Amino acid sequence: MSGEEETTATSSETTIETTPTWAVATVVFLLILLSLFIEHLIHLLAKYFDKKGRKPLIQALDKIKSELMLLGFISLLLTVSEKSIANICIPRNVGETFLPCSDPSDDGEEEAKCQEQGKVSLLSRQGVRELQYLLFVLAFFHSLSCVLTFSLGMAKMRSWKSWEAETRTFEYRFSNDPRRFQLIHQTSFARRHLRSWSEHRFLRWPKCFLRQFYASVPKVDYLTLRHGFITAHFSEGSNFDFQKYIKRALEKDFGVVVGISLWIWIFSMSFIFFNAHAFYNYLWLPFIPLLMLLLVGTKLQGIITRMCLDSQDRSHVVRGAFLVRPSDDFFWFGRPKLLLHVMHFILFQNSFQLAFFTWTWFQFGFRSCFHRRTEDIVIKLVMGVLVQILCCYVTLPLYALVTQMGTSMKKTVFPETVAEGLDRWRANARRNVALKVNYIPARPSLDTSLDGSPSIGTSPSFSLHPSHSVTFVEAPESEYLAADTMKDEERDNQINGESEIELEMRGSFEGFDLKNMSRVLSLVD
């Protein structure tokens, strides 16, 4: 009897053929209107970032749009291939393995083709439609997670602005005068990190683990790492704004976090696979992002302590402020960027778990077979919220600070306008070098009448023959203009008293050490 009612209900469903055209047009118009509204909001946000000169955020926004387009395209493919996927039949005993529920209900409709063969569909039409909802929820949670992570991390780093302003005060410069000497254990940075547990790895790691939960980035750590970075890459006493540099670097790294690469998708499919009831996933799967996040935070705290130990091994006396040495050796496999990829994986997996929980709640109810136990619901919600807050407010600011202590500095050390100016200067320099290579100056060339005399290009060739002919090669007009420009520049330098020798004696250019100019120019490349 119930089967006849289901057949009647299915046959009585209204299709496009029996739907008024005004109803179809209204629904389509509302969907288009909503899509245009969202697109206009994204466009306004891009214009705001462009007005503020924050190009990395514009690139991150474009990447979010491309990821949304990818998820939309996957949903479209599922819609088009819905019938084809449902017609793929597998044996019934295979279809009953790795089920997410121990006692699943058998309310789904099977294709007639598979029923005739005594098999089941690989994925029913209803399952395809439910999977489309999962993609939509995943896109929403991933975008929301990225925005929250970046916004809260930036809000936390605003407190560093007052610390940066303090470095320009007379009191700070007096207390860190390079003419003052003190023992290393007398500094506040050493008193924080050089303890009885610092020398032993198995004691150092638990202490670094606990430091994530209280004062993860204190003032003394920020000022010490800032001093080490500026001393390594700039001239001593430079007024470089380290806090703004960290913000620009984090905006650049944000473009990596919002992306979804192939290996991220592979791990996401593994998450779906291990949601089978046989794996008891609620006991261990939600804890993976949290454990990885705590491991990253412990490693970052350990890097600061190791830098302190490294400075102690070099000298027991401090001149001025405590000096740490930036190096890639403190990071895993000598790659500071590896921590960013680990955090990228953590954020996506956490948003995926929250999206999966929301999707099962919406599709199957709050007390479905996916989470019948109360502890299952509590664990998933608590872990998801805890990872999001801990990553936003603790680990991300700590990462933004410590990852700058690698061997090389990032291109974002320059503001956007300066970086564009350096790009233009590099292009002009390459063009001038190309002109000089192709240019033959006006100079006498000694021709020779001796056969087989060596000659290199247009360079003068010498002969032992007593008769020589002197010829002059006409220089291009552009080269004369270049020579005149060089003379004007030399005359201006003489007027301003900024000769090349004086610049070299001064030893710095806007805070940059001239000895490090090769490193700076490599960043432009």
Side-chain angles (χ1 to χ4, degrees):
M1 189 70 181
S2 60
E4 294 178 357
E5 290 178 356
E6 290 180 1
T7 306
T8 305
T10 305
S11 60
S12 62
E13 288 181 354
T14 305
T15 62
I16 291 292
E17 294 176 334
T18 58
T19 303
T21 55
W22 63 266
V24 177
T26 302
V27 172
V28 173
F29 176 74
L30 291 176
L31 292 176
I32 293 175
L33 200 63
L34 179 61
S35 301
L36 291 176
F37 176 72
I38 296 175
E39 183 184 10
H40 183 65
L41 288 180
I42 296 177
H43 179 68
L44 290 178
L45 188 60
K47 287 182 64 177
Y48 173 77
F49 289 151
D50 185 56
K51 183 179 178 181
K52 295 294 183 178
R54 307 176 81 171
K55 280 191 176 181
L57 292 184
I58 298 177
Q59 296 172 358
L61 188 62
D62 291 337
K63 187 168 288 187
I64 290 177
K65 290 165 60 177
S66 65
E67 297 298 338
L68 293 178
M69 185 183 67
L70 174 63
L71 292 173
F73 185 71
I74 295 174
S75 179
L76 178 63
L77 288 178
L78 287 174
T79 303
V80 173
S81 57
E82 177 181 323
K83 184 177 180 181
S84 302
I85 295 175
N87 283 329
I88 300 176
C89 303
I90 59 176
R92 187 173 294 276
N93 59 345
V94 176
E96 293 176 353
T97 58
F98 296 100
L99 296 176
C101 306
S102 57
D103 51 347
S105 58
D106 193 14
D107 298 334
E109 298 179 7
E110 290 293 340
E111 293 295 320
K113 174 184 175 182
C114 296
Q115 285 183 344
E116 294 174 356
Q117 300 177 7
K119 298 181 179 181
V120 295
S121 299
L122 177 66
L123 187 62
S124 65
R125 296 192 183 191
Q126 182 180 355
V128 172
R129 290 191 291 267
E130 291 169 351
L131 191 57
Q132 291 176 343
Y133 288 119
L134 175 61
L135 293 176
F136 173 78
V137 177
L138 174 61
F140 173 77
F141 269 89
H142 177 60
S143 303
L144 180 63
S145 173
C146 292
V147 172
L148 286 177
T149 302
F150 181 77
S151 302
L152 294 179
M154 284 294 184
K156 175 67 178 296
M157 288 190 292
R158 285 196 191 98
S159 62
W160 302 352
K161 194 172 183 179
S162 60
W163 300 345
E164 187 69 31
E166 184 181 333
T167 60
R168 292 168 174 79
T169 61
F170 174 78
E171 291 79 5
Y172 176 82
R173 297 189 178 185
F174 176 76
S175 60
N176 296 278
D177 192 341
R179 292 172 294 183
R180 299 179 60 185
F181 292 86
Q182 55 183 333
L183 294 175
I184 194 171
H185 287 282
Q186 295 176 345
T187 61
S188 56
F189 184 73
R191 287 196 299 267
R192 172 176 167 82
H193 293 280
L194 295 181
R195 300 291 184 88
S196 58
W197 47 264
S198 302
E199 299 289 344
H200 306 283
R201 177 180 300 179
F202 295 104
L203 297 178
R204 184 170 68 242
W205 276 79
K207 183 65 177 180
C208 293
F209 172 80
L210 295 175
R211 275 186 172 170
Q212 301 178 78
F213 306 102
Y214 62 96
S216 60
V217 184
K219 179 180 175 180
V220 60
D221 286 3
Y222 174 83
L223 295 178
T224 304
L225 297 187
R226 175 190 181 275
H227 178 65
F229 177 86
I230 292 179
T231 304
H233 302 297
F234 297 87
S235 60
E236 187 174 358
S238 174
N239 288 329
F240 177 72
D241 198 325
F242 187 59
Q243 192 257 354
K244 286 187 177 179
Y245 163 64
I246 292 179
K247 288 178 61 177
R248 291 195 300 268
L250 186 60
E251 290 176 1
K252 189 72 174 178
D253 293 339
F254 183 64
V256 178
V257 175
V258 299
I260 308 177
S261 56
L262 177 61
W263 69 276
I264 293 289
W265 281 118
I266 292 174
F267 278 105
S268 301
M269 298 308 101
S270 302
F271 172 83
I272 295 178
F273 173 77
F274 284 110
N275 260 281
H277 174 73
F279 295 112
Y280 297 95
N281 59 84
Y282 65 94
L283 295 176
W284 56 273
L285 197 58
F287 295 94
I288 292 179
L290 178 63
L291 293 177
M292 294 184 66
L293 186 63
L294 294 177
L295 179 62
V296 171
T298 304
K299 177 62 178 178
L300 292 172
Q301 292 287 351
I303 289 174
I304 301 177
T305 304
R306 284 186 59 195
M307 285 191 292
C308 184
L309 292 171
D310 180 71
S311 299
Q312 183 195 25
D313 295 338
R314 292 173 178 272
S315 175
H316 292 280
V317 179
V318 176
R319 184 175 67 90
F322 194 102
L323 182 63
V324 293
R325 180 181 61 91
S327 176
D328 289 343
D329 297 334
F330 298 121
F331 298 86
W332 282 326
F333 306 105
R335 296 179 56 192
K337 274 284 186 182
L338 184 61
L339 292 172
L340 178 64
H341 295 296
V342 175
M343 293 185 63
H344 179 201
F345 171 78
I346 294 170
L347 286 172
F348 185 80
Q349 289 302 312
N350 185 64
S351 61
F352 192 94
Q353 291 192 27
L354 289 175
F356 194 85
F357 176 81
T358 306
W359 169 70
T360 53
W361 183 4
F362 175 77
Q363 284 290 325
F364 310 104
F366 190 69
R367 287 290 184 176
S368 64
C369 68
F370 285 93
H371 32 72
R372 287 180 177 174
R373 296 182 177 87
T374 304
E375 57 270 21
D376 186 15
I377 300 173
V378 173
I379 289 174
K380 288 182 179 179
L381 288 178
V382 171
M383 289 299 105
V385 175
L386 182 62
V387 168
Q388 191 66 43
I389 295 177
L390 188 64
C391 184
C392 296
Y393 215 67
V394 177
T395 311
L396 185 65
L398 182 62
Y399 160 81
L401 175 64
V402 178
T403 192
Q404 312 307 326
M405 303 308 293
T407 303
S408 59
M409 57 183 175
K410 301 179 182 178
K411 185 178 179 180
T412 49
V413 68
F414 303 109
E416 194 64 34
T417 54
V418 177
E420 292 176 355
L422 287 173
D423 287 336
R424 289 194 298 268
W425 172 78
R426 180 169 60 92
N428 293 333
R430 286 182 174 179
R431 185 167 59 251
N432 292 336
V433 169
L435 286 175
K436 289 182 179 180
V437 170
N438 297 326
Y439 163 62
I440 306 174
R443 59 186 177 185
S445 62
L446 301 178
D447 196 7
T448 179
S449 61
L450 183 64
D451 295 337
S453 58
S455 61
I456 304 175
T458 56
S459 301
S461 56
F462 298 92
S463 172
L464 297 177
H465 198 277
S467 60
H468 295 87
S469 61
V470 180
T471 59
F472 293 88
V473 182
E474 192 72 14
E477 183 179 355
S478 60
E479 195 62 24
Y480 286 120
L481 296 175
D484 292 338
T485 305
M486 294 174 62
K487 291 180 180 179
D488 293 339
E489 292 177 354
E490 293 177 0
R491 185 164 52 253
D492 293 339
N493 288 336
Q494 292 176 359
I495 293 174
N496 296 327
E498 296 291 335
S499 65
E500 209 172 280
I501 298 176
E502 292 174 345
L503 287 174
E504 187 175 357
M505 291 175 61
R506 192 168 53 181
S508 65
F509 176 71
E510 294 296 332
F512 288 91
D513 193 345
L514 291 180
K515 295 182 295 183
N516 296 332
M517 282 304 294
S518 59
R519 186 186 308 168
V520 173
L521 295 179
S522 65
L523 293 175
V524 181
D525 293 330

